[in-house]
Amino acid sequence: MSKTALITGTTGQDGSYLSELLLDKGYKVYGLIRRSSVDTTERIAHFQHHPRFELVEGDITDASCMHKLISGIKPDEVYNLAAMSHVGVSFDQPITTCHIDALGPLHILEAIRQSSPQSKFYQASTSELFGDTKIAPQSELTPMTPNSPYAIAKLYAHHLVGLYRRAYGIFACAGILFNHESPRRGGDFVTRKITKYVAMIENWMDTHDGLGFPRKYLDIPPLFLGNIEAKRDWSHAEDMVRGMWLMMQHSIPDDYVLGSGETHTVKEFLQLAFGSVGIDYKDYVVIDPKFYRPVDVNLLHADPSKAVNILGWKPIVGFGELVNRMVEHDYEILVDKKTRYV
Ligand code: NAP
Ligand code: GDP
């Protein structure tokens, strides 16, 4: 009989890729979707009617709802990818962030403990847990000094995973995932904000024969950004969801760092993205204090050797290819009006 999985955050970047991966592997997938006044199914539209995919309505901040769902489905695997996932926004909405990112996982773990203790649980932890650390690269053993309401809420959930494993014997894993991007990345994260802008400029140049002209001579608004000195360890989201699944197939539940093992500044991302269409980011980017955070995380650099050695995981898409794929995809959306996410 095929395995069953419940994925929260199925309409998000990772949830959509993970749903596809599990459908390919023969799973019956239940994707949690929260009620919205607008359609949020854009990333999943191309497989939403798959015979083994079923949308179930709910919200992870509602304990009774999660209990009802998990006791009803009794899934083999639960992947909690739902979150208020934007670090910058968490400074403005710390309480919402806490309800979703800290208490949400607690409701799910309690539902598993009380009504479906055989269900395996995956929690989307984050490299933001390392926060202000001066230690690099960062592994599962690096001390965690979170530096945002988002990271603090995620640290609470991260510790719950270890606790439910030790105290109740639940098969629970936390993936400490470094930044991962794709053409499905939300438009308010720095990578996608950049690639959408570069695609817009490329399209403008195609139609106006304006190649080589600095922006100041053109009727185009600049790209406003904040801290471009920050260093991140960027991977492709498809590589990451494969790692999530591998953690859940291992005989022993544990926590794993997933990341590329390379670190790059936002400035390097800019250089590659703008350079891929033959222009200089300095002609287009304006630094705007509005996009600075009260405190930032300056250096993220993964040591994924535990996942490589124990799970046999390794990322396939490198930094340069990731940037190129995102720019190309955003350009194709503009010129071809292609389906956004396939
Ligand atoms: P994302 O694209 O922002 O997706 C977040 C998902 O969570 C969306 O489907 C959203 O639904 C859902 N959601 C939010 N609040 C919810 C609630 N109260 N109940 C049910 N669903 C809710 O995030 P992502 O990039 O795929 O990331 C997936 C997970 O990995 C998140 O937990 C994130 O914090 C974590 N993470 C991400 C990265 C990264 O670089 N991408 C790195 C480390 C960890 P709507 O469509 O309704 O908004
Ligand atoms: P994060 O690493 O999960 O916070 O991912 P983001 O893509 O939101 O931010 C990555 C880095 O880019 C952080 O250090 C941000 O401060 C920096 N950054 C600079 N300008 C921007 C911007 O306009 N938007 C966002 N989201 N981040 C920016």
Side-chain angles (χ1 to χ4, degrees):
M1 219 175 68
S2 67
K3 281 190 188 174
T4 54
L6 171 65
I7 302 177
T8 73
T10 195
T11 56
Q13 171 186 254
D14 293 6
S16 61
Y17 282 122
L18 181 66
S19 299
E20 283 175 280
L21 179 84
L22 298 190
L23 288 172
D24 280 352
K25 291 187 180 296
Y27 281 62
K28 160 87 189 191
V29 177
Y30 295 89
L32 186 79
I33 186 166
R34 57 177 171 165
R35 200 253 155 206
S36 169
S37 60
V38 292
D39 187 3
T40 56
T41 58
E42 199 172 14
R43 293 184 178 97
I44 61 171
H46 57 288
F47 62 81
Q48 197 182 333
H49 302 294
H50 189 290
R52 279 185 281 102
F53 183 76
E54 188 174 329
L55 278 177
V56 288
E57 274 200 23
D59 190 304
I60 65 164
T61 60
D62 187 325
S64 64
C65 158
M66 294 317 295
H67 193 275
K68 192 173 160 201
L69 276 173
I70 287 171
S71 61
I73 299 170
K74 293 198 170 22
D76 295 304
E77 298 171 10
V78 179
Y79 294 85
N80 180 38
L81 310 184
M84 200 309 288
S85 64
H86 197 284
V87 175
V89 171
S90 78
F91 285 97
D92 298 322
Q93 299 178 26
I95 295 171
T96 302
T97 306
C98 178
H99 279 298
I100 301 174
D101 296 7
L103 295 182
L106 177 59
H107 297 323
I108 298 171
L109 279 164
E110 270 301 285
I112 290 175
R113 182 179 74 81
Q114 290 176 29
S115 65
S116 185
Q118 79 293 343
S119 295
K120 296 180 176 183
F121 177 75
Y122 172 88
Q123 168 62 13
S125 288
T126 164
S127 55
E128 290 288 323
L129 299 179
F130 299 119
D132 204 21
T133 186
K134 305 288 177 281
I135 300 166
Q138 294 112 19
S139 74
E140 297 78 6
L141 302 175
T142 305
M144 292 169 172
T145 49
N147 220 16
S148 64
Y150 168 80
I152 290 167
K154 284 280 189 179
L155 183 59
Y156 175 81
H158 183 74
H159 284 312
L160 285 177
V161 171
L163 178 70
Y164 274 64
R165 214 160 46 207
R166 293 189 301 276
Y168 307 118
I170 287 171
F171 188 110
C173 302
I176 307 167
L177 269 53
F178 284 63
N179 293 54
H180 46 281
E181 321 293 313
S182 73
R184 300 184 194 179
R185 184 62 146 151
D188 55 355
F189 292 89
V190 77
T191 54
R192 189 79 198 287
K193 194 171 157 182
I194 294 168
T195 60
K196 280 172 90 168
Y197 184 87
V198 170
M200 187 265 290
I201 296 291
E202 188 182 9
N203 188 35
W204 192 95
M205 290 188 311
D206 285 352
T207 47
H208 289 74
D209 194 23
L211 190 67
F213 283 94
R215 186 197 62 80
K216 58 186 171 186
Y217 300 120
L218 311 176
D219 187 22
I220 296 175
L223 173 61
F224 291 106
L225 292 177
N227 175 15
I228 62 171
E229 304 298 337
K231 290 183 162 177
R232 291 290 182 273
D233 181 316
W234 279 293
S235 299
H236 194 290
E238 275 183 299
D239 283 332
M240 295 304 213
V241 301
R242 193 163 27 82
M244 297 174 189
W245 178 78
L246 284 171
M247 284 177 216
M248 297 283 267
Q249 309 317 307
H250 198 266
S251 52
I252 301 163
D254 207 346
D255 304 333
Y256 294 90
V257 159
L258 298 184
S260 73
E262 280 180 27
T263 188
H264 299 276
T265 56
V266 175
K267 207 187 261 179
E268 285 172 74
F269 194 103
L270 283 167
Q271 281 161 349
L272 276 189
F274 280 77
S276 72
V277 301
I279 53 178
D280 186 344
Y281 81 89
K282 294 193 202 76
D283 292 329
Y284 297 86
V285 170
V286 171
I287 301 301
D288 182 344
K290 189 173 95 181
F291 293 104
Y292 274 87
R293 294 166 185 178
V295 283
D296 208 341
V297 168
N298 293 316
L299 169 61
L300 291 177
H301 183 184
D303 171 2
S305 45
K306 179 175 170 186
V308 171
N309 294 332
I310 297 180
L311 303 176
W313 176 83
K314 71 170 190 301
I316 293 169
V317 181
F319 180 59
E321 189 183 342
L322 172 69
V323 176
N324 286 339
R325 278 204 207 176
M326 289 177 72
V327 172
E328 271 167 31
H329 193 92
D330 280 326
Y331 179 72
E332 282 170 11
I333 291 170
L334 282 181
V335 295
D336 286 338
K337 306 266 180 288
K338 267 199 177 167
T339 312
R340 284 172 63 95
Y341 292 121
V342 181

